[in-house]
Amino acid sequence: MWGIIPAAGLGTRIQPLGFSKELLPVGSNIVGDVEKPRAVSEYLVDRMLKAGATRICFVVAPGKSDLVQYFGSSMRSADLCYVVQPKAGGLCDAIFRACTLVRPDEDVLVGLPDTIWFPEEGFTALPDGVLAFLLFPVDRPQAFDAVVTDEDGNVLEIQVKHPDARTNWIWGAFKMPGRVLHELEALWQERGRRDEYMGTLVNAYLQKGGRAVGVRRGEAYVDVGTVHGYREALNLLGTRKRAAAVPAQPRPATVCSNAGTAISKRPGDVAPRVGARLFSRAEIEHRVHELGNWFQNIDLLGVQTAPAHFLGDYPTLKWKRFSHVLPEDMTGMSVLEIGCNAGFYSLEMKRRGAGRVVGIDFDDYYLDQARFAAEVLGHDIEYRRLSVYDVGALGERFDLVLFMGMVYHLRHPLLALDLVHEHVARDLLLFQSLQRGSPEMEPLQEDYDFWETEVFDKPSYPRLHFVEHKYSHDETNWWLPNAACSAAMLRSSGFQVVAHPEEEVFLCKRGPLPPGADGLRAVYPARARDAAAS
């Protein structure tokens, strides 16, 4: 089996001094008793070796002798070779430089050398005999090649860096028979070698009757070719390392339904009962269907509430990226989840041992789902129909407030944050918002001269984009902040950012909020105070 690594092709976005971007050190390896830096391209080589590659071809630019010196002629069980791409001509041009080495009856693995992805065995999930893409869920598919598939996984279209991508599943690597590689190369030549990206060529291949499949087995994907991506890669590897260091937990218990079928349990879930018996799988499936479409995919003892979610296993995939910033043991802590939807995060708080957990939402549709999920999993969570603008009616403060996926749905986001600070936050606030624009944050001065205008043109300056009509077909989406705006709004409302574990997530501590020049920063609804007093 061949592995093709197009180290040349699209050019370099970040160029460390003295070596190629493929040798950018990310993480480390233990060699003997010594910890040594690990080149980013080693991650892809490892994944190819795990899939059974015995020969790997690097396609390199002229002068990249450092790659040859670093990897040499072999790596563990695989022989390595190098093909030169005389000048950057796109990904297709780079990949097809290796065509003369590959026989039609050999399998081929292709990946990008400046990416890190999990699971490490991802290539093995791809079927033989067909062009197969390993797909990963990402937050910003418009920056990648989004792969649109039908229900059976057949690729319908690849949307190359499309601003309105129809899916958040992108390809991160692919596998194909050698004959398909040669068919694609012939089509590329037939089209005048004009295809720079693999996606446009595959679209033409599909139109001519070719077939490709997408396999949604990817868990995490990072493009290390940008400064932000490099930081994200370090965070991802750190999270994985910490998770691996946690001692193995006992296997989840198994309970049996009244129908006699086994139902798996997650640690922290207690035996669910209706009266004196357990829920059967059929009862759970029926009620899940009866409660309508679920936005959150929750595992109800083996029954998935939203298995076909357009964001993948959401919000589990999201939760895994930042869960480490919260205490593993939350015994005795009180938690308020604002805008709880079906209660995914409230359930996670209970699994960590939180004492009092309250979830609020203004929509009974979601509250019905949340109450059923808590009942099935046996967790004591209080759910109330309440708007964020009326949190004063709760009349209590909580150790942790979850404010997840709320800001962009609010006409008055700063008022909402002010109310949270004033009425319900005691110590910690976990904030998440859909974001668009730059992930970078401009260092802000205390004041700017009237004639200063350039700072407002910087993508990293705080921006809150207003949605007049709809965004993503949703008329409740009003605002889309960039990362700097999210942080600035939190600080303005009296919350100190203490951790930023994921692009959209901020962990904050409540601090004092001094009055502004004109007094209090917000008008607190009288009916909230009255309700709390009654």
Side-chain angles (χ1 to χ4, degrees):
M1 180 183 292
W2 273 97
I4 299 177
I5 300 179
L10 295 178
T12 302
R13 284 160 289 170
I14 57 174
Q15 182 64 59
L17 294 176
F19 51 83
S20 303
K21 65 174 181 176
E22 296 80 16
L23 299 182
L24 184 69
V26 184
S28 61
N29 270 330
I30 302 297
V31 181
D33 295 328
V34 180
E35 185 175 15
K36 294 185 176 181
R38 188 179 193 185
V40 62
S41 50
E42 285 188 71
Y43 290 91
L44 178 59
V45 172
D46 282 346
R47 282 147 179 73
M48 289 181 167
L49 294 177
K50 287 180 183 293
T54 56
R55 287 163 291 179
I56 296 176
C57 175
F58 282 90
V59 182
V60 300
K64 283 198 174 181
S65 60
D66 51 356
L67 273 170
V68 182
Q69 294 170 356
Y70 187 86
F71 285 103
S73 62
S74 65
M75 188 169 181
R76 298 203 291 275
S77 59
D79 294 325
L80 307 183
C81 67
Y82 305 85
V83 172
V84 175
Q85 183 187 31
K87 61 180 181 179
L91 183 60
C92 289
D93 179 79
I95 292 172
F96 297 140
R97 295 276 168 181
C99 271
T100 56
L101 302 173
V102 182
R103 299 195 311 267
D105 61 340
E106 295 180 297
D107 285 329
V108 181
L109 307 175
V110 180
L112 303 179
D114 54 353
T115 62
I116 296 176
W117 45 261
F118 290 93
E120 297 179 30
E121 299 79 12
F123 274 121
T124 62
L126 301 179
D128 297 327
V130 66
L131 174 58
F133 292 93
L134 182 61
L135 305 186
F136 298 83
V138 298
D139 293 331
R140 301 184 64 197
Q142 63 270 29
F144 303 94
D145 289 3
V147 181
V148 181
T149 64
D150 63 17
E151 294 181 355
D152 297 321
N154 296 301
V155 176
L156 303 177
E157 178 189 9
I158 297 181
Q159 297 180 312
V160 179
K161 296 175 176 56
H162 197 288
D164 298 311
R166 291 165 53 193
T167 176
N168 76 313
W169 289 90
I170 66 158
W171 73 260
F174 54 96
K175 174 183 174 181
M176 59 187 153
R179 62 173 178 79
V180 173
L181 176 68
H182 290 289
E183 289 173 7
L184 289 170
E185 195 268 345
L187 178 59
W188 180 65
Q189 295 283 0
E190 178 186 317
R191 288 165 57 85
R193 301 163 61 101
R194 70 175 184 267
D195 294 289
E196 180 181 3
Y197 299 101
M198 202 68 191
T200 59
L201 181 63
V202 170
N203 288 336
Y205 175 71
L206 297 175
Q207 291 172 5
K208 290 179 70 71
R211 179 172 178 259
V213 299
V215 180
R216 297 184 175 187
R217 293 290 293 276
E219 297 173 359
Y221 181 89
V222 178
D223 177 0
V224 190
T226 65
V227 173
H228 174 70
Y230 181 73
R231 294 171 181 162
E232 189 177 357
L234 295 178
N235 288 335
L236 174 63
L237 294 174
T239 300
R240 291 269 171 171
K241 186 176 181 179
R242 287 190 294 271
V246 176
Q249 299 295 321
R251 292 183 60 186
T254 300
V255 297
C256 290
S257 70
N258 61 319
T261 56
I263 299 177
S264 63
K265 290 180 60 188
R266 293 179 55 183
D269 292 334
V270 299
R273 297 184 179 277
V274 177
R277 64 182 178 85
L278 300 172
F279 280 107
S280 70
R281 184 182 183 91
E283 287 173 324
I284 298 173
E285 289 176 341
H286 174 75
R287 185 61 176 148
V288 165
H289 178 75
E290 190 176 56
L291 287 170
N293 294 324
W294 295 60
F295 181 73
Q296 295 182 336
N297 187 38
I298 300 175
D299 184 357
L300 298 183
L301 305 180
V303 178
Q304 304 293 317
T305 60
H309 200 295
F310 78 103
L311 292 176
D313 187 11
Y314 184 87
T316 296
L317 289 173
K318 190 80 168 176
W319 166 241
K320 289 179 178 179
R321 298 176 194 168
F322 62 85
S323 59
H324 60 278
V325 301
L326 294 179
E328 287 288 340
D329 184 359
M330 299 178 64
T331 302
M333 290 182 64
S334 60
V335 181
L336 170 66
E337 183 180 8
I338 300 174
C340 60
N341 201 278
F344 174 89
Y345 292 109
S346 290
L347 293 168
E348 293 298 333
M349 299 303 100
K350 272 295 185 180
R351 289 188 177 107
R352 294 194 174 199
R356 175 164 165 73
V357 177
V358 178
I360 66 171
D361 205 295
F362 66 89
D363 196 330
D364 285 321
Y365 182 92
Y366 295 124
L367 291 171
D368 288 343
Q369 294 176 347
R371 291 184 179 111
F372 176 68
E375 183 182 11
V376 168
L377 298 176
H379 289 304
D380 180 18
I381 301 174
E382 178 185 339
Y383 288 109
R384 296 181 57 177
R385 188 176 187 276
L386 200 66
S387 164
V388 64
Y389 302 118
D390 296 325
V391 291
L394 291 169
E396 63 178 302
R397 293 188 179 274
F398 297 81
D399 298 317
L400 170 65
V401 176
L402 304 177
F403 196 81
M404 314 291 288
M406 284 290 294
V407 158
Y408 48 96
H409 291 307
L410 301 174
R411 286 279 291 187
H412 311 291
L414 272 177
L415 172 61
L417 285 171
D418 286 342
L419 290 168
V420 170
H421 183 278
E422 175 73 8
H423 293 292
V424 292
R426 175 186 292 122
D427 184 21
L428 296 176
L429 172 75
L430 189 67
F431 171 97
Q432 179 267 328
S433 173
L434 176 70
Q435 292 176 171
R436 291 294 181 261
S438 173
E440 304 299 326
M441 299 189 197
E442 179 73 15
L444 301 177
Q445 300 177 20
E446 285 294 320
D447 192 13
Y448 290 92
D449 185 81
F450 178 82
W451 303 107
E452 169 60 53
T453 59
E454 293 183 0
V455 68
F456 300 104
D457 295 325
K458 294 183 178 181
S460 54
Y461 189 82
R463 295 183 180 182
L464 189 60
H465 307 278
F466 177 65
V467 179
E468 183 178 0
H469 300 296
K470 294 182 181 180
Y471 180 78
S472 189
H473 314 295
D474 188 344
E475 66 275 5
T476 72
N477 286 326
W478 292 105
W479 303 98
L480 297 172
N482 63 6
C485 182
S486 292
M489 287 195 299
L490 288 164
R491 292 192 299 266
S492 178
S493 298
F495 294 100
Q496 175 193 0
V497 176
V498 296
H500 184 31
E502 201 257 3
E503 184 172 311
E504 297 181 345
V505 177
F506 299 79
L507 180 66
C508 308
K509 283 189 72 69
R510 182 186 186 275
L513 183 62
D518 298 323
L520 294 177
R521 304 234 183 147
V523 176
Y524 299 100
R527 66 191 185 96
R529 292 199 303 270
D530 294 342
S534 62

